Amino acid sequence: MAEGQIIKALSGFYYVLSEGRVFQCRGRGVFRKKKVTPLVGDRVVFQATSETEGYILEVCERQNELVRPPIANVEQAILVFSAVSPDFNAKLLDRFLVLVESKRITPIIVISKIDLLDGESKEEIACYVHDYRRIGYGVIETSAVTKGGLDELAARLRGRVSVVAGQSGVGKSSLLNALRPDLRLKTGDISTHLGRGKHTTRHVELLEVAGGLVADTPGFSALEFDQIELDELPHYFPEFRTYGEGCKFRGCLHIAEPKCAVREAVEAGEIPSYRYDHYVSFVAEMKERKPRY
Protein backbone atom coordinates (compact mmCIF):
# COMPACT_ATOMS: atom_id res chain seq x y z
CA MET A 1 0.00 0.00 0.00
CA ALA A 2 1.09 3.57 -0.68
CA GLU A 3 -0.12 7.11 0.00
CA GLY A 4 -0.69 9.88 -2.50
CA GLN A 5 -2.95 12.72 -3.58
CA ILE A 6 -5.66 12.70 -6.24
CA ILE A 7 -4.75 15.25 -8.91
CA LYS A 8 -7.48 14.40 -11.45
CA ALA A 9 -10.79 12.52 -11.54
CA LEU A 10 -12.22 11.54 -14.91
CA SER A 11 -14.64 8.88 -16.18
CA GLY A 12 -14.53 6.81 -13.01
CA PHE A 13 -10.75 6.89 -12.73
CA TYR A 14 -8.72 8.72 -10.13
CA TYR A 15 -5.19 9.81 -10.94
CA VAL A 16 -3.03 9.68 -7.83
CA LEU A 17 0.30 11.50 -7.52
CA SER A 18 2.74 9.61 -5.30
CA GLU A 19 6.49 10.19 -5.08
CA GLY A 20 6.65 11.87 -8.47
CA ARG A 21 4.62 9.20 -10.30
CA VAL A 22 0.93 9.22 -11.31
CA PHE A 23 -1.16 6.09 -10.84
CA GLN A 24 -4.54 5.50 -12.51
CA CYS A 25 -6.86 4.05 -9.87
CA ARG A 26 -10.47 3.04 -9.37
CA GLY A 27 -12.41 3.45 -6.15
CA ARG A 28 -13.39 0.42 -4.12
CA GLY A 29 -17.11 -0.37 -3.79
CA VAL A 30 -16.89 0.38 -0.09
CA PHE A 31 -16.93 4.10 -0.92
CA ARG A 32 -20.38 3.80 -2.49
CA LYS A 33 -21.70 2.01 0.62
CA LYS A 34 -20.27 4.71 2.88
CA LYS A 35 -21.45 7.43 0.46
CA VAL A 36 -17.91 8.78 0.19
CA THR A 37 -16.92 10.27 -3.15
CA PRO A 38 -13.17 10.79 -3.59
CA LEU A 39 -12.35 14.34 -4.65
CA VAL A 40 -9.42 15.94 -6.42
CA GLY A 41 -7.08 17.02 -3.64
CA ASP A 42 -7.92 14.07 -1.40
CA ARG A 43 -5.01 12.35 0.29
CA VAL A 44 -5.56 8.62 -0.14
CA VAL A 45 -4.17 5.19 0.62
CA PHE A 46 -3.98 3.08 -2.55
CA GLN A 47 -2.61 -0.15 -3.95
CA ALA A 48 -1.27 -0.45 -7.49
CA THR A 49 0.32 -3.21 -9.54
CA SER A 50 1.30 -0.73 -12.28
CA GLU A 51 0.77 2.93 -13.20
CA THR A 52 -2.51 1.99 -14.93
CA GLU A 53 -3.86 -0.61 -12.49
CA GLY A 54 -4.64 0.55 -8.99
CA TYR A 55 -7.36 0.85 -6.35
CA ILE A 56 -8.03 3.52 -3.78
CA LEU A 57 -8.46 1.82 -0.41
CA GLU A 58 -8.97 4.77 1.93
CA VAL A 59 -9.70 8.49 1.79
CA CYS A 60 -7.88 10.33 4.56
CA GLU A 61 -9.60 12.98 6.67
CA ARG A 62 -10.10 16.24 4.78
CA GLN A 63 -8.78 19.60 5.90
CA ASN A 64 -11.59 21.31 3.97
CA GLU A 65 -13.88 20.74 1.02
CA LEU A 66 -15.28 23.02 -1.66
CA VAL A 67 -18.48 22.23 -3.55
CA ARG A 68 -17.91 24.48 -6.55
CA PRO A 69 -15.25 23.66 -7.63
CA PRO A 70 -15.34 20.13 -6.12
CA ILE A 71 -11.92 19.89 -4.50
CA ALA A 72 -10.51 19.01 -1.07
CA ASN A 73 -7.55 20.03 1.08
CA VAL A 74 -7.04 23.44 -0.49
CA GLU A 75 -4.38 25.38 1.42
CA GLN A 76 -4.64 28.75 -0.26
CA ALA A 77 -6.69 30.71 -2.77
CA ILE A 78 -4.92 32.94 -5.28
CA LEU A 79 -7.45 35.74 -5.82
CA VAL A 80 -6.53 37.46 -9.07
CA PHE A 81 -7.92 40.96 -9.63
CA SER A 82 -6.72 43.19 -12.43
CA ALA A 83 -5.65 46.76 -11.78
CA VAL A 84 -7.40 47.81 -15.00
CA SER A 85 -9.38 46.21 -17.82
CA PRO A 86 -11.50 45.18 -15.99
CA ASP A 87 -11.10 47.78 -13.28
CA PHE A 88 -10.16 46.69 -9.76
CA ASN A 89 -13.32 45.63 -7.92
CA ALA A 90 -12.85 45.86 -4.15
CA LYS A 91 -16.40 44.74 -3.31
CA LEU A 92 -16.04 41.55 -5.35
CA LEU A 93 -12.64 40.97 -3.75
CA ASP A 94 -14.18 41.31 -0.29
CA ARG A 95 -16.86 38.79 -1.27
CA PHE A 96 -14.16 36.32 -2.31
CA LEU A 97 -12.23 37.00 0.90
CA VAL A 98 -15.27 36.22 3.07
CA LEU A 99 -15.90 32.95 1.25
CA VAL A 100 -12.25 31.92 1.46
CA GLU A 101 -11.99 32.88 5.14
CA SER A 102 -15.14 30.84 5.88
CA LYS A 103 -13.43 27.72 4.48
CA ARG A 104 -10.26 28.35 6.53
CA ILE A 105 -8.26 28.78 3.34
CA THR A 106 -5.42 31.31 3.24
CA PRO A 107 -6.13 34.03 0.66
CA ILE A 108 -3.38 35.62 -1.42
CA ILE A 109 -4.45 38.76 -3.28
CA VAL A 110 -2.80 39.09 -6.69
CA ILE A 111 -3.25 42.36 -8.56
CA SER A 112 -2.49 41.77 -12.24
CA LYS A 113 -1.76 44.06 -15.20
CA ILE A 114 0.11 46.64 -13.11
CA ASP A 115 2.10 47.51 -16.24
CA LEU A 116 -1.05 49.19 -17.60
CA LEU A 117 -1.41 51.68 -14.73
CA ASP A 118 -1.03 55.43 -15.25
CA GLY A 119 -0.47 58.11 -12.61
CA GLU A 120 -3.93 58.50 -11.04
CA SER A 121 -4.89 54.83 -11.23
CA LYS A 122 -1.46 53.85 -9.88
CA GLU A 123 -2.13 55.93 -6.74
CA GLU A 124 -5.57 54.38 -6.31
CA ILE A 125 -4.20 50.83 -6.53
CA ALA A 126 -1.36 51.74 -4.16
CA CYS A 127 -3.98 52.78 -1.57
CA TYR A 128 -5.80 49.45 -1.90
CA VAL A 129 -2.52 47.54 -1.61
CA HIS A 130 -1.66 49.49 1.55
CA ASP A 131 -5.11 48.88 3.08
CA TYR A 132 -5.20 45.12 2.49
CA ARG A 133 -1.62 44.64 3.65
CA ARG A 134 -2.39 46.59 6.83
CA ILE A 135 -5.31 44.22 7.48
CA GLY A 136 -2.84 41.35 7.22
CA TYR A 137 -3.47 39.94 3.76
CA GLY A 138 -0.65 38.95 1.43
CA VAL A 139 -0.78 41.17 -1.67
CA ILE A 140 1.34 40.63 -4.79
CA GLU A 141 1.44 43.13 -7.66
CA THR A 142 2.10 41.31 -10.92
CA SER A 143 2.51 41.68 -14.66
CA ALA A 144 2.60 38.77 -17.09
CA VAL A 145 4.22 41.20 -19.57
CA THR A 146 7.11 42.55 -17.47
CA LYS A 147 7.25 39.41 -15.26
CA GLY A 148 6.99 41.68 -12.22
CA GLY A 149 5.91 39.86 -9.06
CA LEU A 150 6.15 36.40 -10.63
CA ASP A 151 9.05 35.27 -8.42
CA GLU A 152 7.07 36.20 -5.31
CA LEU A 153 3.97 34.42 -6.64
CA ALA A 154 6.02 31.31 -7.48
CA ALA A 155 7.40 31.29 -3.93
CA ARG A 156 3.85 31.39 -2.54
CA LEU A 157 2.79 28.43 -4.72
CA ARG A 158 5.74 26.22 -3.85
CA GLY A 159 4.79 23.17 -1.81
CA ARG A 160 1.11 24.11 -1.49
CA VAL A 161 -2.26 23.19 -3.00
CA SER A 162 -3.87 26.33 -4.44
CA VAL A 163 -6.99 27.34 -6.30
CA VAL A 164 -6.91 30.35 -8.62
CA ALA A 165 -10.03 32.48 -8.68
CA GLY A 166 -11.17 35.79 -10.09
CA GLN A 167 -13.53 37.24 -12.66
CA SER A 168 -13.10 36.63 -16.38
CA GLY A 169 -10.41 38.65 -18.14
CA VAL A 170 -8.21 39.46 -15.14
CA GLY A 171 -5.28 37.45 -16.49
CA LYS A 172 -5.37 34.20 -14.49
CA SER A 173 -4.26 32.08 -17.46
CA SER A 174 -1.62 34.60 -18.50
CA LEU A 175 -0.01 34.45 -15.06
CA LEU A 176 0.04 30.63 -14.99
CA ASN A 177 1.43 30.54 -18.54
CA ALA A 178 4.15 32.98 -17.49
CA LEU A 179 5.06 30.69 -14.58
CA ARG A 180 4.92 27.53 -16.69
CA PRO A 181 4.87 28.28 -20.46
CA ASP A 182 4.34 24.65 -21.53
CA LEU A 183 0.81 24.76 -20.05
CA ARG A 184 -0.33 26.93 -22.99
CA LEU A 185 -3.58 27.76 -21.21
CA LYS A 186 -5.87 29.68 -23.52
CA THR A 187 -6.10 33.29 -22.43
CA GLY A 188 -9.59 34.08 -21.18
CA ASP A 189 -10.40 30.53 -20.10
CA ILE A 190 -8.32 28.94 -17.39
CA SER A 191 -10.13 25.62 -17.79
CA THR A 192 -9.16 24.73 -21.37
CA HIS A 193 -5.92 22.93 -20.50
CA LEU A 194 -7.26 19.65 -21.86
CA GLY A 195 -8.98 21.18 -24.87
CA ARG A 196 -12.40 21.14 -23.30
CA GLY A 197 -15.04 22.98 -25.27
CA LYS A 198 -17.97 24.99 -23.96
CA HIS A 199 -20.32 22.04 -24.03
CA THR A 200 -18.06 19.36 -22.60
CA THR A 201 -18.01 18.35 -18.95
CA ARG A 202 -15.68 20.47 -16.90
CA HIS A 203 -13.57 18.78 -14.31
CA VAL A 204 -10.96 19.86 -11.82
CA GLU A 205 -7.31 18.98 -12.27
CA LEU A 206 -4.31 19.84 -10.12
CA LEU A 207 -1.40 21.02 -12.26
CA GLU A 208 2.19 21.21 -11.09
CA VAL A 209 3.21 24.87 -11.22
CA ALA A 210 6.26 26.42 -9.54
CA GLY A 211 6.75 23.43 -7.26
CA GLY A 212 3.15 23.40 -6.05
CA LEU A 213 -0.23 22.09 -7.20
CA VAL A 214 -2.67 24.55 -8.74
CA ALA A 215 -6.30 23.75 -9.56
CA ASP A 216 -7.06 24.09 -13.26
CA THR A 217 -10.63 25.27 -12.74
CA PRO A 218 -12.82 28.32 -13.30
CA GLY A 219 -12.47 28.89 -9.55
CA PHE A 220 -15.41 29.67 -7.32
CA SER A 221 -18.52 29.53 -9.47
CA ALA A 222 -20.83 30.15 -6.51
CA LEU A 223 -20.38 33.48 -4.76
CA GLU A 224 -23.46 33.40 -2.52
CA PHE A 225 -23.20 33.38 1.26
CA ASP A 226 -25.65 30.50 1.60
CA GLN A 227 -23.26 28.43 3.74
CA ILE A 228 -22.48 31.27 6.16
CA GLU A 229 -24.60 32.30 9.14
CA LEU A 230 -25.14 36.00 9.80
CA ASP A 231 -23.46 35.95 13.21
CA GLU A 232 -20.35 34.42 11.59
CA LEU A 233 -19.86 37.20 9.05
CA PRO A 234 -17.95 39.65 11.33
CA HIS A 235 -15.35 36.93 12.01
CA TYR A 236 -14.45 36.87 8.31
CA PHE A 237 -13.35 40.52 8.38
CA PRO A 238 -10.00 40.22 10.24
CA GLU A 239 -9.87 43.89 11.27
CA PHE A 240 -13.37 43.57 12.75
CA ARG A 241 -12.16 40.72 14.94
CA THR A 242 -9.44 42.96 16.35
CA TYR A 243 -11.57 46.02 17.07
CA GLY A 244 -14.69 44.00 17.91
CA GLU A 245 -13.14 42.96 21.22
CA GLY A 246 -13.81 46.51 22.38
CA CYS A 247 -17.53 46.47 21.58
CA LYS A 248 -19.91 46.86 24.53
CA PHE A 249 -22.06 43.88 23.55
CA ARG A 250 -20.84 40.38 22.87
CA GLY A 251 -22.06 39.23 19.45
CA CYS A 252 -22.19 42.82 18.18
CA LEU A 253 -23.10 42.91 14.48
CA HIS A 254 -21.54 46.39 14.12
CA ILE A 255 -24.64 47.84 12.49
CA ALA A 256 -26.70 49.85 15.00
CA GLU A 257 -25.56 48.64 18.41
CA PRO A 258 -24.44 51.32 20.91
CA LYS A 259 -20.76 51.71 21.80
CA CYS A 260 -19.60 49.65 18.80
CA ALA A 261 -15.79 49.78 18.62
CA VAL A 262 -15.80 48.73 14.95
CA ARG A 263 -17.96 51.68 13.86
CA GLU A 264 -15.80 53.98 15.97
CA ALA A 265 -12.72 52.63 14.17
CA VAL A 266 -14.38 53.31 10.80
CA GLU A 267 -15.19 56.90 11.84
CA ALA A 268 -11.61 57.36 13.01
CA GLY A 269 -10.26 56.13 9.66
CA GLU A 270 -8.65 53.07 11.22
CA ILE A 271 -10.84 50.72 9.16
CA PRO A 272 -11.34 51.62 5.46
CA SER A 273 -14.88 52.94 5.00
CA TYR A 274 -15.35 50.93 1.79
CA ARG A 275 -14.66 47.70 3.68
CA TYR A 276 -17.33 48.59 6.21
CA ASP A 277 -19.78 49.59 3.42
CA HIS A 278 -19.25 46.22 1.77
CA TYR A 279 -19.83 44.48 5.10
CA VAL A 280 -23.12 46.37 5.62
CA SER A 281 -24.32 45.37 2.15
CA PHE A 282 -23.40 41.73 2.83
CA VAL A 283 -25.39 41.82 6.09
CA ALA A 284 -28.42 43.20 4.22
CA GLU A 285 -28.06 40.52 1.56
CA MET A 286 -27.91 37.75 4.15
CA LYS A 287 -30.96 39.09 6.00
CA GLU A 288 -32.99 38.99 2.77
CA ARG A 289 -32.13 35.42 1.82
CA LYS A 290 -34.61 32.60 2.27
CA PRO A 291 -34.18 30.60 5.48
CA ARG A 292 -32.50 27.20 5.23
CA TYR A 293 -34.51 24.14 6.25
Side-chain angles (χ1 to χ4, degrees):
M1 290 188 292
E3 293 187 9
Q5 187 165 30
I6 298 175
I7 60 170
K8 182 171 66 171
L10 185 64
S11 303
F13 289 100
Y14 300 97
Y15 297 82
V16 180
L17 177 65
S18 178
E19 297 183 353
R21 299 168 65 192
V22 177
F23 297 86
Q24 180 179 283
C25 299
R26 290 189 181 273
R28 286 288 193 195
V30 67
F31 294 128
R32 287 191 291 274
K33 293 177 183 177
K34 293 182 178 179
K35 295 184 178 179
V36 173
T37 301
L39 293 176
V40 169
D42 271 331
R43 297 181 183 91
V44 297
V45 177
F46 71 101
Q47 192 169 31
T49 55
S50 70
E51 290 187 351
T52 57
E53 289 290 333
Y55 287 93
I56 293 174
L57 306 176
E58 179 186 346
V59 175
C60 302
E61 185 178 353
R62 289 168 181 158
Q63 176 184 330
N64 53 46
E65 176 185 340
L66 299 178
V67 177
R68 295 183 292 267
I71 188 172
N73 300 315
V74 175
E75 295 173 83
Q76 60 186 10
I78 310 300
L79 305 179
V80 184
F81 280 74
S82 54
V84 292
S85 187
D87 290 340
F88 185 79
N89 187 333
K91 186 174 183 179
L92 183 60
L93 172 57
D94 285 344
R95 181 176 287 270
F96 271 106
L97 287 170
V98 166
L99 292 165
V100 169
E101 293 263 4
S102 73
K103 295 293 184 181
R104 295 180 176 83
I105 297 170
T106 301
I108 306 295
I109 301 169
V110 172
I111 301 179
S112 62
K113 306 184 185 181
I114 60 168
D115 55 292
L116 299 179
L117 287 173
D118 56 27
E120 186 176 335
S121 57
K122 186 176 290 188
E123 287 183 18
E124 182 182 357
I125 293 299
C127 289
Y128 281 122
V129 170
H130 173 266
D131 288 343
Y132 283 102
R133 282 179 175 161
R134 189 174 66 168
I135 292 167
Y137 290 117
V139 183
I140 305 173
E141 299 173 82
T142 65
S143 168
V145 176
T146 67
K147 312 299 183 189
L150 291 187
D151 287 345
E152 186 180 354
L153 178 55
R156 294 276 194 168
L157 294 176
R158 193 167 298 122
R160 294 185 174 93
V161 177
S162 308
V163 293
V164 179
Q167 65 190 127
S168 178
V170 296
K172 301 185 294 291
S173 299
S174 297
L175 287 175
L176 290 182
N177 283 336
L179 289 169
R180 186 182 152 184
D182 66 299
L183 284 178
R184 296 185 181 88
L185 292 170
K186 182 180 175 184
T187 303
D189 187 355
I190 201 170
S191 62
T192 55
H193 175 63
L194 300 179
R196 299 189 292 279
K198 288 183 179 179
H199 303 292
T200 56
T201 302
R202 287 182 171 182
H203 67 271
V204 181
E205 180 180 359
L206 287 172
L207 304 172
E208 293 188 71
V209 179
L213 294 173
V214 177
D216 172 28
T217 163
F220 295 90
S221 58
L223 291 172
E224 292 79 28
F225 298 132
D226 55 349
Q227 300 297 315
I228 301 173
E229 297 299 332
L230 183 58
D231 61 354
E232 297 173 342
L233 185 62
H235 299 293
Y236 303 138
F237 281 74
E239 69 272 47
F240 288 19
R241 293 199 299 265
T242 301
Y243 287 99
E245 293 176 1
C247 291
K248 180 178 180 180
F249 296 103
R250 180 177 292 182
C252 182
L253 262 185
H254 318 308
I255 298 296
E257 298 88 341
K259 295 186 178 179
C260 171
V262 168
R263 292 209 316 278
E264 291 173 0
V266 174
E267 291 169 7
E270 294 166 3
I271 291 177
S273 59
Y274 62 85
R275 282 275 289 175
Y276 180 73
D277 291 343
H278 298 163
Y279 168 79
V280 171
S281 72
F282 295 162
V283 169
E285 176 184 329
M286 293 175 75
K287 285 182 175 180
E288 290 176 2
R289 73 184 179 189
K290 294 180 180 179
R292 287 190 287 167
Y293 296 101

